[in-house]
Amino acid sequence: MIWLNWRQFRVQAIAAAVGLALFAGYLLYLGMDIRDAHDAYRSRCAGTTGCAQAAAEFQGTYRNTLLFLAAGLGLVPVVIGVFWGAPLIARELELGTHRLVWNQSVTRRRWLLARTAFAGLAAMVVAGLAALALTWAASPYDRVASDRFGTIEFGARNIVPIGYAFLAFTLGTVIGLFLRRTLPAMAVTGAVFLVVQFAVPNLVRPHLMPSERATLPMTAQAINQARNLGSITGAPVIGGLQVPGAPDAWISDTSPLRTADGRTLDGKAFNACLNSPPKTGADGTFGDTAVCLSALDLHVDLEYQPSDRYWPFQLAETGLYLAAGALLTLIALRRVRRA
């Protein structure tokens, strides 16, 4: 069975090995370049003002590149599910070649386990090595950016991609086993797994552990440290805040700007400060707007996860994917008896 699986899977394995080697080679070059830039950033970090400017320039140089690579790595499990998992059994059933094996001494379950174990392990190895290379290359940037919990970054670092790859592969295998047609199975697998990739970070991940809560007064300094203010709907919201004393914390929910009595800030008052604040000559990211809003005695309520929960979250989410993949494997073993 091992030799047969290798014969049937060798093209995909060789293509994955070549792609992984090219990806790792580029990340080696990028990682060394990031480390040189990080050394230069540290040498410029002589004072608080100079350090902030140097950090902003360092992050700006590599932010888009690393986001693009993380998003690309996020598509690797989709490719695995669509091109490795979905056709694995569906093609055999569609062409009828499974009957040749089932008429031998190999049972259906053993045949299915052998096929899925061989290709599934390869999928996990490919995703794991790619994630390891990206984690190494981006580690100096991640220390400065303090955004390891970012929606895209979290799913492309350390061990989570291994769980993603296993889930995508088993999902494709099960869908192919049920649909018995290769192209429909590939299409459904891609669509379903994209939904999973959206749903888990936004709907599941924030609830894997109970959140801590904090109230953050909206002083002019706090507002100027935010990344964005307002929204396309005109709502009184602020984003990109940091928990005082814990810049690496993951803020999972931020309330709208609230007045001292706990009510949401009136939209007219917010827009007045946003569009036509009194001229004070204040500097900072939002300048006069920050001064105008701080005079209203505002605050926001935060829900966040401390930075020391990063690895528990990595383990919990990876375990969730592995458990879901194992459940899908059990479903496949039951289904193959009636295939």
Side-chain angles (χ1 to χ4, degrees):
M1 287 296 291
I2 294 177
W3 175 248
L4 177 61
N5 285 325
W6 165 249
R7 292 279 296 177
Q8 293 179 318
F9 191 68
R10 66 185 185 278
V11 174
Q12 296 95 316
I14 293 172
V18 172
L20 181 61
L22 293 174
F23 186 65
Y26 173 72
L27 287 177
L28 177 62
Y29 162 78
L30 180 64
M32 297 305 296
D33 189 56
I34 290 176
R35 280 157 175 76
D36 290 340
H38 184 257
D39 291 340
Y41 145 71
R42 294 185 62 184
S43 67
R44 293 177 55 194
C45 197
T48 304
T49 304
C51 191
Q53 181 179 358
E57 292 177 359
F58 171 69
Q59 293 177 61
T61 302
Y62 297 102
R63 180 182 295 111
N64 291 337
T65 299
L66 290 173
L67 277 175
F68 177 79
L69 290 171
L73 184 57
L75 291 177
V76 169
V78 181
V79 173
I80 287 173
V82 170
F83 292 98
W84 288 16
L88 188 73
I89 306 301
R91 182 180 291 117
E92 299 273 5
L93 298 175
E94 190 173 19
L95 299 177
T97 53
H98 62 289
R99 297 188 183 93
L100 177 63
V101 179
W102 290 356
N103 287 329
Q104 309 300 317
S105 59
V106 179
T107 64
R108 296 185 182 192
R109 287 186 173 182
R110 182 183 172 191
W111 170 77
L112 178 63
L113 277 176
R115 298 225 60 190
T116 55
F118 190 89
L121 180 60
M124 295 170 70
V125 169
V126 169
L129 291 177
L132 179 64
L134 180 57
T135 302
W136 173 83
S139 58
Y141 173 88
D142 289 342
R143 287 195 296 270
V144 176
S146 301
D147 195 25
R148 294 190 302 168
F149 277 105
T151 301
I152 299 177
E153 292 86 350
F154 185 86
R157 303 286 198 272
N158 296 300
I159 62 174
V160 167
I162 298 175
Y164 260 135
F166 180 66
L167 177 58
F169 176 78
T170 54
L171 178 65
T173 301
V174 171
I175 291 175
L177 184 58
F178 275 83
L179 296 184
R180 304 172 67 93
R181 294 292 184 269
T182 303
L183 291 180
M186 294 171 70
V188 172
T189 298
V192 171
F193 196 74
L194 286 174
V195 171
V196 171
Q197 285 188 311
F198 173 81
V200 171
N202 293 284
L203 302 178
V204 178
R205 186 183 299 161
H207 305 290
L208 289 176
M209 296 182 189
S211 301
E212 301 289 337
R213 298 177 183 272
T215 297
L216 182 60
M218 287 291 94
T219 63
Q221 180 182 5
I223 294 172
N224 280 322
Q225 289 176 345
R227 293 180 183 174
N228 56 277
L229 187 62
S231 68
I232 59 175
T233 63
V237 297
I238 187 169
L241 296 170
Q242 292 184 344
V243 179
D248 292 343
W250 170 35
I251 297 178
S252 55
D253 185 67
T254 304
S255 72
L257 291 167
R258 290 174 173 165
T259 57
D261 59 2
R263 297 182 180 181
T264 299
L265 176 65
D266 180 70
K268 292 182 179 179
F270 176 72
N271 289 324
C273 284
L274 191 64
N275 299 321
S276 55
K279 302 300 182 182
T280 63
D283 56 5
T285 304
F286 300 104
D288 293 334
T289 295
V291 175
C292 179
L293 290 173
S294 65
L296 300 178
D297 192 20
L298 304 174
H299 68 275
V300 293
D301 296 320
L302 305 176
E303 293 186 14
Y304 71 96
Q305 299 288 349
S307 59
D308 58 6
R309 294 182 183 178
Y310 176 80
W311 273 106
F313 265 90
Q314 280 270 323
L315 293 170
E317 190 161 323
T318 304
L320 177 67
Y321 297 143
L322 294 178
L327 178 60
L328 289 172
T329 301
L330 292 176
I331 293 174
L333 291 174
R334 290 180 61 87
R335 174 67 180 180
V336 76
R337 297 175 61 185
R338 300 191 298 272

